[in-house]
Amino acid sequence: MNDMKRTAADDLLDVLASWGVSKVFSCPGSTEAAILDALMDRDDMELFLTTHESAAVSIADGYSRATGAPSVVYLHANGGLTNGLANLAAAQLAYSPVVVLNGLKPRSIQSRAGFTTARRMRDFVHQYVKDDWQCLSSEAIAEDVNRAFRTAMIEPTGPVWVGLSQDLLESPSSAPAPGADGFTFDSRTVPSASAIRAAADVIAQSRHPVIVAGSEVARSGAIDDVIRLSETLRVPVLHEDRRALERPGFPTDHPNFRGQYEPAHPLVQGADLLVFLGARLFNEFEPPTSPQLPAGVKIIHSHTDARQIALIHGVDVGLVGDQGLIAQELLAALSERPPQHEFVLPEREADPAPRASTTDGGALKALDVVDTITDALRGAVIVGDATTAGGVLQTRAHQHSGNDYFVSSSGSLGWGMGAALGIKMGLPQRRVAAILGDGVFQFGIPALWSAARQNIPVTYVVINNQRYAAVGAALQRYHGKAAERQVYPGTDIAGVNIAEVSSAFGVPGQRVDTLEDLRSAIDAADGVEHPVLIEVMTDTEQLRP
Amino acid sequence: MNDMKRTAADDLLDVLASWGVSKVFSCPGSTEAAILDALMDRDDMELFLTTHESAAVSIADGYSRATGAPSVVYLHANGGLTNGLANLAAAQLAYSPVVVLNGLKPRSIQSRAGFTTARRMRDFVHQYVKDDWQCLSSEAIAEDVNRAFRTAMIEPTGPVWVGLSQDLLESPSSAPAPGADGFTFDSRTVPSASAIRAAADVIAQSRHPVIVAGSEVARSGAIDDVIRLSETLRVPVLHEDRRALERPGFPTDHPNFRGQYEPAHPLVQGADLLVFLGARLFNEFEPPTSPQLPAGVKIIHSHTDARQIALIHGVDVGLVGDQGLIAQELLAALSERPPQHEFVLPEREADPAPRASTTDGGALKALDVVDTITDALRGAVIVGDATTAGGVLQTRAHQHSGNDYFVSSSGSLGWGMGAALGIKMGLPQRRVAAILGDGVFQFGIPALWSAARQNIPVTYVVINNQRYAAVGAALQRYHGKAAERQVYPGTDIAGVNIAEVSSAFGVPGQRVDTLEDLRSAIDAADGVEHPVLIEVMTDTEQLRP
Ligand SMILES: Cc1ncc(C[n+]2csc(CCOP(=O)(O)OP(=O)(O)O)c2C)c(N)n1
Ligand SMILES: Cc1ncc(C[n+]2csc(CCOP(=O)(O)OP(=O)(O)O)c2C)c(N)n1
């Protein structure tokens, strides 16, 4: 087919290069031959091989989250796309600019519903991307892919899908290809002056305002602006609700930090104004049985993505735009129209005394395990995918910057194994550790292969309670036969030696069952130049940490 | 929520029971609490726990293929559904009556796009099922699920999806529930008498007819009818094209069997009539570069699924209906209107002499490995998911009945690991072995957990060439830089000790690297009452067996 001539695949790689892409994450198949071939002589770009699409997508997502830069996944046919969807949902929720290229069979086979063809590929992916387009001609490939990057990077950023038929990709080049130049622009916006004025007025008239800093504050690099707003006004700050949080919007070690948003939080209860900055209201796990917002409280809600504002609850002022710019504009407006009552920063409760983390001979409790982990990993980037232990992890993990803690709000198991690899590549100077459930582990195993092959030095810690504790907890809440008998069907997943699985993949694994051994294992893994996995055995009976 | 009262979940289980369902394949989550609870006191039905939806779906599919009976998968939310899609595509291609129930968050959260919610779930699944419906009220659950079974079982059978919102499932029972009674009926059809007459005329006028028996012959239990047709007319029989084959439509040890359909097959070249019974024309891997049908040949094509007929190539007569009934009707019509020329059954070439299967010291060749495997497993049911070794496996595996050999034509890796478990449960008296690629293995690992937990005695044989050889072969065909330099990027997946991974999951694994050890390992696994895995190391350079 290709006798050393330039192809549309070469054009496509030029587009990728112009956007600074250096790695193409893929588990390729025959439809990707042209791309694999075109990658061979590039010194600016390499294939990053994965052995499952769930890994490819989560690694790319992690990389984009950590860097803010676009990443590229190349998926194979229909099976490859659908295997990647669960983690693509996670990327979407985190506004991660992952460009998904999808190799498709030659066009003539598509209409014939041939091998590995689904005739409406876009239906699969439509809900999880900002745009989906299947290229119609080889001349259009570079332009279409370039536009995909542009779309992924326009605020609010997010995943985009492009379908690339094999015959088009293997066609002769039709350079010159467009590139990032001219297609990268500052797409941040600010709300109208009157909206800002309205927000400043509401703040100026309030007595007990509370800021709730969401993940978008971190993603848009606006933490310093929010600190300034909070310090100038002397207003306390909470993190957004735990189900919606993707990363910390405020330093947990800042004197104005007061914990995580919960309707029952005393500051929320006492507030007359809640200023939600870049937060989601809310990512509901179940229909709430009590109000999520105090009665009569005023609401200001800013978000880059207008679709998040007044989605469930009405607002007094909605502010669409960039979190950093909005914080700056609010501050400017408030200096002209200062608050009518001086705000008093409430006392901060003393941090709880460090808990004694020693093993008392019985089965390890998840709470103690999380304490030990967060203590040992102070200073590291934590990637959380720990299910029932996730809530405690979130409150205990040290989060000084917006990059210190990453989770997914998608609720689909397995994201963290691959994401940690992408995050480590995006933050090479930092130590990165992923904290996982044993159920989660089984969904992410193929990521181990890429960790070993690419020698990415992350520390995996698997909290092995040999259970789907979250499912047991749901049965408890259901108050049926299971709860009455305290027998929880569908939750016992014992039987896997996770450390051995890991070692068999080339990621040295170690099983520990005391807090002391856990601590030493985490310490020993520090600075080691390859990935390691620590499996910590915990109480199998406990359904909540 | 449920204080020991009967719920819609109980109604639903009654429907399942009426259809003979004894196992619910699931990797459940909180949306499935009511079903888990309702299952607790049933003695006619049990939860079959899996640790990944890809396993749940392929196990159910395997069970339906082996038994012809409907099977049930219960998937969790959006992530569970999308994780199951790749193997659902396989079920669809095999006309496997898998009923997919999908737990969804309570309705109020769905409209709010809450946790684990995609607002258009049906878009994901629509292309892979006969029908998709999201229940609108608790009273409708039993009826909707009953209708799903009916739809799945009407010819042509196939997967059906029903979305079940958590709040509806947890609602009080609204019995009496409908059940299979009255909803199970003989839905087989026969073509019109004139279509049968037209086909008989074409056959009667031909000189060199060839029958091509497809997977539908096996699925509809029509092999004996096709044998009778072939014997009475003295017409040779081929299996359908290898890419389309899901199971053998004719015994390979029958004197009239002449191999597999290929355009270049001498009998195809010499034919003036091809009678495709229950075959697909064709599941094209790439746009054909030479004709798939000889010029001027006449075509009769029968299929249960009208959509398969004249999809790509025009036919002289199309026959929509049941394969067994069609073979009978053709025979009856031909006894009234006998062939004008006596057909002469061409000589059958002698079977190739058994190849010497000994290790000569070098790396094992896939061909020898397949020879050893098929020889050692004579009499066993073979489940093939072996990628580049799959073609040879298909021609060498002994296939006396329609249940002796199962593959997937979906082209998505990983189906075989779970399917083998379902097939073993469906055919408990038979030895079942799955022959897998090492790339395939990484897509199917969680099936090992269910194999161990449920102690399903299958023999897994992984042909470990440490390669994506199929991708290398595609690069060769592409004739680019990779082919010129004989360096194949994106194909080296070495580094996993598959036998150790298996053992760590509780499925004893063994690595072998001689044919003698392979043979002894397969023999030793015979009759063993638990699953085992044999990893055979082969040549890493070879891209085709
Ligand atoms: C893809 C997918 N399948 C199924 C579920 C349902 N589910 C929710 S939590 C959970 C258990 C997770 O187990 P583990 O990681 O061990 O954490 P634990 O619950 O024990 O804390 C399951 C199976 C899910 N969330 N995502
Ligand atoms: C879900 C999915 N992802 C990717 C591919 C692309 N693909 C086709 S064949 C193949 C290699 C399979 O490797 P293995 O099972 O070891 O068999 P081999 O090619 O070595 O014979 C790959 C990755 C696919 N078919 N399905």
Side-chain angles (χ1 to χ4, degrees):
Chain A
M1 327 232 159
N2 165 31
D3 295 313
M4 312 291 133
K5 287 188 226 67
R6 243 187 97 84
T7 62
D10 294 300
D11 300 346
L12 185 155
L13 293 183
D14 284 348
V15 173
L16 268 48
S18 78
W19 288 89
V21 169
S22 62
K23 288 176 171 54
V24 176
F25 303 102
S26 185
C27 173
S30 52
T31 46
E32 286 70 64
I35 272 293
L36 295 178
D37 210 78
L39 273 168
M40 284 184 82
D41 282 341
R42 300 222 48 136
D43 45 20
D44 55 350
M45 210 180 303
E46 62 177 12
L47 173 74
F48 183 107
L49 189 61
T50 70
T51 51
H52 197 293
E53 293 80 8
S54 62
V57 174
S58 55
I59 297 171
D61 176 23
Y63 183 82
S64 280
R65 291 191 196 206
T67 59
S71 58
V72 174
V73 182
Y74 215 117
L75 299 180
H76 173 73
N78 57 345
L81 175 61
T82 55
N83 280 345
L85 284 177
N87 283 338
L88 193 60
Q92 184 194 39
L93 290 168
Y95 295 95
S96 211
V98 177
V99 175
V100 179
L101 306 178
N102 200 158
L104 308 174
K105 284 286 185 189
R107 285 164 299 166
S108 61
I109 294 192
Q110 289 175 43
S111 53
R112 293 171 170 189
F115 196 70
T116 63
T117 289
R119 302 208 314 173
R120 289 167 24 184
M121 291 290 285
R122 296 167 65 183
D123 284 3
F124 292 131
V125 77
H126 183 75
Q127 292 173 83
Y128 290 153
V129 289
K130 287 182 68 180
D131 192 32
D132 51 276
W133 180 249
Q134 180 168 337
C135 277
L136 300 179
S137 72
S138 66
E139 298 79 28
I141 287 184
E143 181 182 320
D144 286 347
V145 171
N146 196 52
R147 187 162 32 246
F149 275 85
R150 158 216 170 259
T151 304
M153 291 302 287
I154 287 177
E155 290 292 342
T157 57
V160 173
W161 180 90
V162 185
L164 296 164
S165 302
Q166 184 182 344
D167 55 326
L168 299 180
L169 206 65
E170 296 179 357
S171 300
S173 157
S174 46
D181 197 25
F183 291 86
T184 337
F185 55 93
D186 183 347
S187 61
R188 293 174 305 162
T189 59
V190 287
S192 71
S194 61
I196 290 286
R197 251 191 329 264
D201 281 344
V202 172
I203 294 173
Q205 285 156 28
S206 72
R207 283 179 183 264
H208 303 292
V210 173
I211 293 174
V212 183
S215 308
E216 274 293 287
V217 171
R219 188 185 68 76
S220 54
I223 290 183
D224 285 345
D225 296 302
V226 175
I227 289 176
R228 209 161 307 122
L229 184 66
S230 143
E231 287 178 349
T232 311
L233 298 179
R234 300 175 47 81
V235 170
V237 182
L238 303 175
H239 277 171
E240 74 181 306
D241 181 75
R242 98 170 177 83
R243 295 278 179 194
L245 191 146
E246 302 277 349
R247 50 203 288 188
F250 202 76
T252 54
D253 50 9
H254 187 281
N256 290 15
F257 180 70
R258 289 293 183 284
Q260 192 148 32
Y261 183 83
E262 277 181 77
H265 191 294
L267 288 182
V268 174
Q269 289 292 330
D272 61 348
L273 169 64
L274 295 171
V275 184
F276 290 95
L277 301 177
R280 283 158 66 208
L281 278 73
F282 297 95
N283 187 26
E284 294 178 336
F285 182 79
E286 42 190 11
T289 49
S290 56
Q292 297 303 288
L293 295 164
V297 76
K298 287 202 181 293
I299 305 287
I300 296 173
H301 185 189
S302 75
H303 207 285
T304 330
D305 184 356
R307 290 172 304 181
Q308 298 293 357
I309 301 175
L311 180 67
I312 304 177
H313 305 285
V315 296
D316 292 279
V317 187
L319 300 172
V320 182
D322 178 74
Q323 301 317 302
L325 300 178
I326 287 174
Q328 291 166 23
E329 300 241 346
L330 284 178
L331 213 44
L334 281 161
S335 73
E336 285 166 25
R337 177 188 302 88
Q340 297 176 4
H341 316 273
E342 204 185 324
F343 301 143
V344 183
L345 192 70
E347 284 292 297
R348 180 174 175 149
E349 281 173 49
D351 281 337
R355 296 158 37 89
S357 275
T358 50
T359 308
D360 65 1
L364 294 192
K365 306 287 174 213
L367 189 59
D368 296 323
V369 165
V370 171
D371 269 352
T372 303
I373 290 171
T374 49
D375 194 44
L377 287 170
R378 195 154 275 264
V381 179
I382 288 188
V383 181
D385 198 355
T387 324
T388 53
V392 208
L393 183 65
Q394 196 143 302
T395 56
R396 311 249 163 171
H398 178 247
Q399 297 156 49
H400 178 70
S401 86
N403 278 341
D404 283 350
Y405 180 69
F406 292 91
V407 282
S408 162
S409 68
S410 76
S412 186
L413 305 175
W415 167 87
M417 303 263 305
L421 302 180
I423 288 167
K424 175 67 190 174
M425 286 188 282
L427 301 168
Q429 308 306 329
R430 301 286 307 274
R431 179 175 193 188
V432 175
I435 317 302
L436 312 158
D438 56 314
V440 163
F441 174 81
Q442 285 212 41
F443 282 82
I445 294 174
L448 292 174
W449 185 85
S450 290
R453 168 56 61 97
Q454 303 274 342
N455 201 30
I456 301 172
V458 296
T459 305
Y460 287 117
V461 183
V462 181
I463 302 177
N464 189 356
N465 59 2
Q466 303 171 56
R467 281 250 170 198
Y468 284 162
V471 180
L475 282 164
Q476 267 178 346
R477 289 193 303 273
Y478 181 63
H479 290 305
K481 298 190 276 284
E484 197 190 47
R485 299 179 203 162
Q486 298 187 40
V487 174
Y488 303 104
T491 64
D492 171 4
I493 54 161
V496 190
N497 189 314
I498 289 175
E500 283 179 13
V501 172
S502 185
S503 297
F505 267 91
V507 175
Q510 180 183 356
R511 204 179 238 208
V512 298
D513 44 24
T514 67
L515 296 176
E516 295 75 9
D517 288 352
L518 173 60
R519 171 93 213 195
S520 339
I522 295 176
D523 289 346
D526 192 14
V528 165
E529 287 178 346
H530 56 77
V532 298
L533 182 142
I534 301 160
E535 175 189 22
V536 50
M537 308 306 288
T538 66
D539 195 338
T540 59
E541 297 304 317
Q542 227 189 341
L543 298 181
R544 289 270 167 215
Chain B
M1 325 235 158
N2 166 33
D3 295 313
M4 312 290 134
K5 286 188 228 69
R6 242 188 97 86
T7 62
D10 294 300
D11 300 345
L12 185 155
L13 294 183
D14 284 348
V15 173
L16 267 48
S18 77
W19 288 90
V21 169
S22 62
K23 289 177 170 55
V24 176
F25 303 103
S26 185
C27 173
S30 52
T31 47
E32 285 71 64
I35 272 293
L36 296 178
D37 210 77
L39 273 168
M40 285 183 82
D41 281 341
R42 300 218 52 133
D43 46 19
D44 55 350
M45 211 180 304
E46 62 176 12
L47 173 75
F48 183 106
L49 188 62
T50 70
T51 52
H52 198 292
E53 293 80 9
S54 63
V57 174
S58 55
I59 296 171
D61 176 23
Y63 184 81
S64 280
R65 292 192 197 206
T67 59
S71 57
V72 174
V73 182
Y74 216 117
L75 298 180
H76 173 73
N78 57 346
L81 175 60
T82 55
N83 279 345
L85 284 178
N87 284 337
L88 192 60
Q92 184 194 39
L93 290 169
Y95 296 95
S96 212
V98 177
V99 175
V100 179
L101 306 178
N102 200 159
L104 307 175
K105 284 286 185 190
R107 286 164 299 166
S108 61
I109 294 192
Q110 290 175 43
S111 53
R112 294 171 169 189
F115 197 69
T116 62
T117 290
R119 303 207 317 170
R120 289 168 23 185
M121 291 291 285
R122 297 167 66 182
D123 284 3
F124 292 132
V125 77
H126 183 75
Q127 292 173 81
Y128 290 152
V129 289
K130 286 182 69 180
D131 193 31
D132 51 276
W133 181 249
Q134 180 168 336
C135 277
L136 300 178
S137 72
S138 66
E139 298 79 28
I141 287 184
E143 180 181 321
D144 286 347
V145 172
N146 196 51
R147 189 164 28 249
F149 275 84
R150 158 216 169 258
T151 305
M153 291 302 287
I154 288 179
E155 291 290 342
T157 56
V160 173
W161 181 90
V162 185
L164 296 165
S165 302
Q166 184 182 343
D167 56 326
L168 299 179
L169 206 65
E170 297 179 356
S171 301
S173 157
S174 45
D181 197 26
F183 292 86
T184 337
F185 55 92
D186 182 349
S187 61
R188 294 174 304 162
T189 59
V190 287
S192 71
S194 62
I196 290 286
R197 250 190 331 264
D201 281 343
V202 172
I203 295 172
Q205 284 156 28
S206 71
R207 282 178 184 263
H208 303 291
V210 173
I211 293 173
V212 183
S215 308
E216 274 293 288
V217 171
R219 188 185 68 77
S220 53
I223 291 183
D224 286 344
D225 296 302
V226 174
I227 290 176
R228 209 161 307 122
L229 185 67
S230 143
E231 288 178 350
T232 312
L233 297 179
R234 300 176 47 77
V235 170
V237 182
L238 303 175
H239 278 173
E240 74 181 307
D241 181 75
R242 100 170 175 84
R243 295 279 179 195
L245 192 145
E246 302 277 349
R247 51 203 287 187
F250 202 76
T252 55
D253 52 7
H254 187 280
N256 291 15
F257 180 70
R258 289 293 182 283
Q260 192 148 32
Y261 184 83
E262 277 182 74
H265 191 296
L267 287 183
V268 174
Q269 288 292 327
D272 62 348
L273 169 63
L274 295 170
V275 183
F276 291 96
L277 301 177
R280 284 158 64 207
L281 279 76
F282 297 96
N283 187 25
E284 294 178 335
F285 183 80
E286 42 189 12
T289 49
S290 56
Q292 296 302 287
L293 295 164
V297 77
K298 286 201 181 297
I299 306 287
I300 296 173
H301 186 190
S302 75
H303 207 286
T304 331
D305 184 355
R307 291 172 305 181
Q308 297 292 357
I309 302 176
L311 180 67
I312 304 177
H313 305 284
V315 295
D316 292 279
V317 186
L319 300 172
V320 181
D322 177 74
Q323 302 316 302
L325 300 178
I326 288 174
Q328 291 166 23
E329 299 241 347
L330 284 178
L331 213 45
L334 281 160
S335 73
E336 285 166 24
R337 177 189 300 86
Q340 296 174 5
H341 317 274
E342 205 186 322
F343 302 143
V344 183
L345 191 70
E347 284 292 295
R348 180 174 176 152
E349 281 172 50
D351 282 336
R355 296 159 37 90
S357 276
T358 50
T359 307
D360 64 2
L364 294 191
K365 306 288 173 210
L367 189 59
D368 295 323
V369 165
V370 171
D371 269 353
T372 302
I373 291 171
T374 49
D375 195 44
L377 288 170
R378 195 155 275 263
V381 179
I382 288 188
V383 181
D385 198 356
T387 324
T388 54
V392 210
L393 182 66
Q394 196 143 303
T395 57
R396 311 250 163 169
H398 178 246
Q399 298 155 49
H400 178 70
S401 85
N403 278 341
D404 283 350
Y405 179 69
F406 292 90
V407 282
S408 162
S409 68
S410 76
S412 186
L413 305 175
W415 167 86
M417 304 261 308
L421 302 180
I423 289 166
K424 175 67 190 174
M425 287 187 282
L427 300 169
Q429 308 306 328
R430 302 286 308 275
R431 178 174 195 189
V432 174
I435 317 302
L436 312 158
D438 56 315
V440 163
F441 173 81
Q442 285 212 39
F443 281 82
I445 294 173
L448 292 173
W449 185 84
S450 290
R453 167 57 60 99
Q454 302 275 342
N455 201 29
I456 302 173
V458 297
T459 306
Y460 287 116
V461 183
V462 181
I463 302 178
N464 189 354
N465 60 4
Q466 303 170 57
R467 281 246 169 201
Y468 283 162
V471 181
L475 282 164
Q476 266 178 346
R477 290 193 303 272
Y478 181 65
H479 290 306
K481 296 191 276 283
E484 197 190 46
R485 299 179 204 161
Q486 299 187 39
V487 175
Y488 303 103
T491 65
D492 172 2
I493 55 161
V496 190
N497 190 314
I498 289 175
E500 283 179 13
V501 172
S502 185
S503 297
F505 267 90
V507 175
Q510 179 183 358
R511 204 179 237 207
V512 298
D513 44 23
T514 68
L515 296 176
E516 294 76 9
D517 288 351
L518 172 61
R519 172 93 212 195
S520 337
I522 295 176
D523 289 346
D526 193 14
V528 166
E529 286 176 349
H530 56 76
V532 298
L533 182 142
I534 301 159
E535 175 189 22
V536 50
M537 308 304 289
T538 67
D539 196 338
T540 59
E541 296 304 316
Q542 227 188 342
L543 299 181
R544 289 271 167 214

